[in-house]
Amino acid sequence: MTVTLEPAIHGDRVSLLRVLGPAHVWALGVGIVLVGEFTGWNFAADKGGALAALIVCWVVGLLYTSVAMIDSEVTSTVAAAGGQYAQAKHIVGPLMAFNVALFLVFAYTMLEVSDAILLGDTIVSKAGVEGLTHNSFIAATIVVLAWLNYRGVLMTLNVNFVITAIAYVSIVILFFSVSPWTQGAVLKLNELVTPENALPYGWIGVIAAFQFGIWYYLGIEGTTQAAEEVRSPARSLPYGTMAGMITLLIAAAMTWYVCASMMPWEYLGITYYPLWDAGRLTGSPLLENLLFIATLLAALASANGCINDAARAWFSLGRDRYLPTWFSAVHPRYRTPYRSILFLLPIALAFAFIADLNQAITFSILSGVLQYTFMSINIIMFRKKWPLGSIRRGYTHPFHPLPAIVLFCLCVVTFFAIFLGFGSQLIAMVAFYFLISLWFHFYRYRFVRRGDQFTMPWPKPQGY
């Protein structure tokens, strides 16, 4: 199938290009997240031990399963760029929508920064050359991926599909290479995770581990940013998102099992390269090099998807005049939000050179959890205003309102976990979002054309 990049114009506006299918949605969601299996999740072991990392793997998996189900229902119905921003705009109101868009932009931009730092540090660690720094690798990663996103979403996500698949297959190869069904041969889980050290800090350690347990799945909700660029949103978004979530649950379980069976929790909780270390510990140069390459590819795939998603959120704010309309321009040939991509490029570079990796990770996690908290409220309001049968849905998530309740409760636990480790940063970030909300309410909102921002042909909400 050949896709021609001829401008599609609605009125005087060039639109985004509808070229993506379920595989691209999968590549976007899993590509952003998979780096969390290669690094990040293991810091949960430092907070609470290896067993705590396993507990949060499944409990946080429940949180993200709720996110995926809720997102699939609302986004397959509100199929517009901006994802959760578009949802908030139609269902809750402008102030919530503005904040949700900022949550998205900062979550993805800081995750992009973390990915670039990880990639640079991994190359420097492998090279072992004295005096070599990661700065040039960080800059090259962010600039090249921004250029790739500038040139077109189809090419961007085709690349993401390939490199994400390679990185994922490397986890599967490692898993089956260490005789997972035979404890004692290579894996020594019974020796490394004993009743004495399973939960070294008790259940408070399990709670603290939630902060980094988020990294098992952080970013799967990014699939919604492609809503305006998929050929069949009602089919592709739920299918790609739920398939991605299943993929990640399997990868998370395999990753924990191998790493916890090969490294003591004290080391597992501080290394930046748990899967690469596991490859080295097998004694196989082939596995070691495979996991080194896969770590780089996972970081690239994540940063690539983050640029895509952050730009769509920023573009959507400009299109609705929540920000200057200059940001809403679509490239006439490549059909990408190129100005938003270029505007966010120096911001990502600046944070990459001045931010500490732990701070960047925490900023991304907190912004993500704020967004998930909104989603639990959003779906309840959505079902109340437009009950089943009142509008056409591409997907209907089951057991409502249980997923929303579970999601909200687990978000509260995660906020407490972040407070335990980064209380001052949590307070500073909440203060920042509060101040920027005041700016929007008292200054920027007067430029918004209120009628133009509501684009869904829905009936009047019940009770209004």
Side-chain angles (χ1 to χ4, degrees):
M1 176 181 175
T2 302
V3 177
T4 57
L5 301 181
E6 296 297 328
I9 302 178
H10 301 282
D12 59 350
R13 177 179 295 169
V14 181
S15 69
L16 299 174
L17 193 65
R18 287 195 179 274
V19 293
L20 306 180
H24 298 103
V25 176
W26 178 92
L28 179 59
V30 176
I32 290 176
V33 181
L34 197 62
V35 68
E37 319 303 334
F38 287 85
T39 189
W41 71 269
N42 55 298
F43 300 138
D46 182 52
K47 295 290 186 180
L51 185 58
L54 176 63
I55 292 171
V56 297
C57 170
W58 291 111
V59 176
V60 173
L62 182 61
L63 183 156
Y64 276 92
T65 300
S66 300
V67 166
M69 291 194 301
I70 291 170
D71 240 3
S72 293
E73 174 172 334
V74 184
T75 306
S76 64
T77 310
V78 189
Q84 291 83 4
Y85 157 77
Q87 299 173 20
K89 178 180 69 175
H90 286 90
I91 299 167
V92 182
L95 183 58
M96 175 63 80
F98 177 75
N99 274 279
V100 167
L102 290 185
F103 299 158
L104 291 166
V105 171
F106 281 111
Y108 294 129
T109 300
M110 298 310 290
L111 182 52
E112 172 196 349
V113 166
S114 303
D115 294 330
I117 294 173
L118 170 67
L119 186 141
D121 286 346
T122 305
I123 294 175
V124 170
S125 178
K126 179 70 171 178
V129 177
E130 186 175 350
L132 182 66
T133 66
H134 63 198
N135 289 346
S136 58
F137 301 109
I138 290 173
T141 298
I142 294 175
V143 170
V144 170
L145 292 179
W147 172 82
L148 183 64
N149 277 268
Y150 182 99
R151 291 296 299 269
V153 69
L154 183 62
M155 178 172 63
T156 297
L157 294 187
N158 279 338
V159 170
N160 242 43
F161 182 83
V162 173
I163 61 180
T164 299
I166 294 172
Y168 190 87
V169 168
S170 75
I171 298 176
V172 178
I173 292 173
L174 175 65
F175 180 78
F176 285 106
S177 298
V178 294
S179 302
W181 49 82
T182 308
Q183 277 287 328
V186 179
L187 307 182
K188 303 183 186 302
L189 186 64
N190 291 337
E191 298 177 20
L192 294 174
V193 182
T194 65
E196 291 75 25
N197 69 13
L199 295 175
Y201 305 121
W203 286 101
I204 191 64
V206 176
I207 299 298
F210 267 75
Q211 176 183 354
F212 293 106
I214 293 289
W215 267 71
Y216 279 113
Y217 315 102
L218 179 65
I220 185 62
E221 73 283 355
T223 56
T224 64
Q225 298 301 316
E228 210 166 303
E229 295 165 279
V230 295
R231 292 186 294 269
S232 176
R235 180 180 69 91
S236 298
L237 289 171
Y239 184 84
T241 302
M242 298 307 292
M245 193 62 216
I246 294 169
T247 301
L248 292 168
L249 286 166
I250 295 170
M254 289 192 296
T255 298
W256 179 90
Y257 182 65
V258 171
C259 293
S261 299
M262 298 184 74
M263 289 169 264
W265 70 269
E266 296 92 341
Y267 178 78
L268 179 61
I270 61 172
T271 179
Y272 282 95
Y273 317 106
L275 280 171
W276 184 21
D277 284 344
R280 283 189 270 204
L281 289 171
T282 64
S284 167
L286 179 62
L287 283 175
E288 177 185 346
N289 290 323
L290 174 64
L291 270 299
F292 164 72
I293 294 170
T295 301
L296 298 183
L297 293 180
L300 281 172
S302 181
N304 194 28
C306 286
I307 294 172
N308 179 92
D309 286 356
R312 268 64 184 175
W314 201 255
F315 157 81
S316 298
L317 284 172
R319 185 168 60 178
D320 290 331
R321 297 176 178 265
Y322 285 45
L323 291 175
T325 56
W326 185 85
F327 294 113
S328 66
V330 176
H331 197 284
R333 179 183 178 189
Y334 303 125
R335 306 272 285 282
T336 55
Y338 68 104
R339 287 180 182 169
S340 293
I341 294 170
L342 294 176
F343 175 78
L344 293 173
L345 173 61
I347 296 175
L349 286 170
F351 275 112
F353 290 131
I354 66 174
D356 174 78
L357 180 58
N358 282 335
Q359 291 177 335
I361 290 173
T362 302
F363 204 142
S364 179
I365 289 173
L366 178 59
S367 297
V369 177
L370 284 168
Q371 176 201 152
Y372 308 147
T373 307
F374 144 75
M375 288 172 58
S376 64
I377 300 168
N378 182 60
I379 186 61
I380 291 175
M381 293 184 66
F382 182 52
R383 285 285 188 97
K384 183 178 179 181
K385 289 183 175 182
W386 293 279
L388 296 181
S390 61
I391 58 174
R392 186 166 179 256
R393 287 164 161 82
Y395 167 83
T396 302
H397 81 276
F399 311 121
H400 180 80
L402 185 59
I405 296 170
V406 169
L407 177 57
F408 183 85
C409 293
L410 292 179
C411 285
V412 171
V413 174
T414 306
F415 279 124
F416 181 64
I418 296 172
F419 179 78
L420 292 177
F422 294 86
S424 58
Q425 189 170 349
L426 172 62
I427 294 170
M429 289 177 62
V430 171
F432 164 76
Y433 284 123
F434 176 74
L435 292 174
I436 202 75
S437 296
L438 293 178
W439 170 83
F440 175 77
H441 177 75
F442 289 107
Y443 175 74
R444 184 65 210 179
Y445 190 55
R446 61 182 169 173
F447 297 102
V448 175
R449 292 178 179 173
R450 304 187 184 189
D452 291 350
Q453 61 184 308
F454 301 107
T455 57
M456 299 306 299
W458 293 345
K460 190 175 182 180
Q462 287 199 7
Y464 290 80

